[in-house]
Amino acid sequence: MTVSRSWVCAVVLAALTAFGTTVPATASPSGGPSDESFAQVQCHGTESVTYQPGVTFAARKIDITTDGRFGSCADSQGEVTSGSYGERFTVFAGCNNLLDGFEAQRTFTWNTGDTSVMKATGSSTVVAGQVVTTIKGTVTQGRFRGRTVVQVITLPQPDLARCLTTGLTGATGVTTLAIT
């Protein structure tokens, strides 16, 4: 996985919010675009992130592990009902640069056994004590190739004072995904 330092920082405090709208998309049986049918995919789930050692204000090397699970997915083809993603990587980061923009690649694995590789950019904001990260991109390989992806991750900020001591060691929040 290709990751920038900002990606890790955003992942540390990222969280997803639910999508309230439906956007049509099309897909052929091979996973590429098609004018023949509308296919939309919407997923809801959770993302857990762990940091070793904890993230402090003093920037240092941090091993990051993400585990995303979509327990509920719907697509107009009735095939994708769940999915997951996960990454492990190391970055040099601290609490003071967690909201930087980033570029990333993420692979989603679907209950069908298919995968979708997304190339994306993202950014984070703080809303009501939570870090909300929005990731936008395109599926470059696999199922839904050529389709647009929007993922939103919302992670709570339980105790920023930890940045001064042992550091933030993990967070879990909600995530949503829309492929159009």
Side-chain angles (χ1 to χ4, degrees):
M1 174 176 158
T2 304
V3 174
S4 70
R5 181 183 84 180
S6 299
W7 164 256
V8 174
C9 293
V11 169
V12 168
L13 300 175
L16 294 177
T17 57
F19 288 96
T21 59
T22 303
V23 183
T26 60
S28 69
S30 66
S34 168
D35 294 329
E36 299 172 15
S37 65
F38 285 106
Q40 65 186 20
V41 179
Q42 290 188 322
C43 298
H44 301 274
T46 60
E47 178 176 301
S48 295
V49 182
T50 58
Y51 319 103
Q52 182 60 37
V55 182
T56 63
F57 279 115
R60 58 186 172 178
K61 272 187 169 180
I62 300 171
D63 294 323
I64 309 277
T65 302
T66 63
D67 180 26
R69 305 276 174 185
F70 297 114
S72 172
C73 293
D75 80 71
S76 65
Q77 305 300 311
E79 296 174 356
V80 172
T81 58
S82 62
S84 63
Y85 60 93
E87 293 103 17
R88 296 185 88 165
F89 48 91
T90 301
V91 298
F92 190 82
C95 288
N96 60 346
N97 60 356
L98 294 174
L99 299 179
D100 294 345
F102 59 90
E103 294 181 2
Q105 180 173 302
R106 174 166 279 176
T107 300
F108 300 101
T109 301
W110 308 111
N111 63 289
T112 59
D114 296 320
T115 60
S116 297
V117 178
M118 169 182 71
K119 237 184 179 175
T121 60
S123 62
S124 300
T125 59
V126 176
V127 178
Q130 301 180 86
V131 173
V132 178
T133 300
T134 303
I135 304 167
K136 297 179 181 181
T138 302
V139 176
T140 58
Q141 298 174 31
R143 188 177 195 108
F144 310 118
R145 184 176 45 87
R147 296 287 157 220
T148 299
V149 179
V150 176
Q151 183 177 13
V152 179
I153 304 162
T154 303
L155 295 178
Q157 291 293 319
D159 188 5
L160 283 180
R162 291 174 126 192
C163 288
L164 296 169
T165 60
T166 60
L168 301 170
T169 58
T172 297
V174 296
T175 182
T176 60
L177 180 77
I179 300 176
T180 59

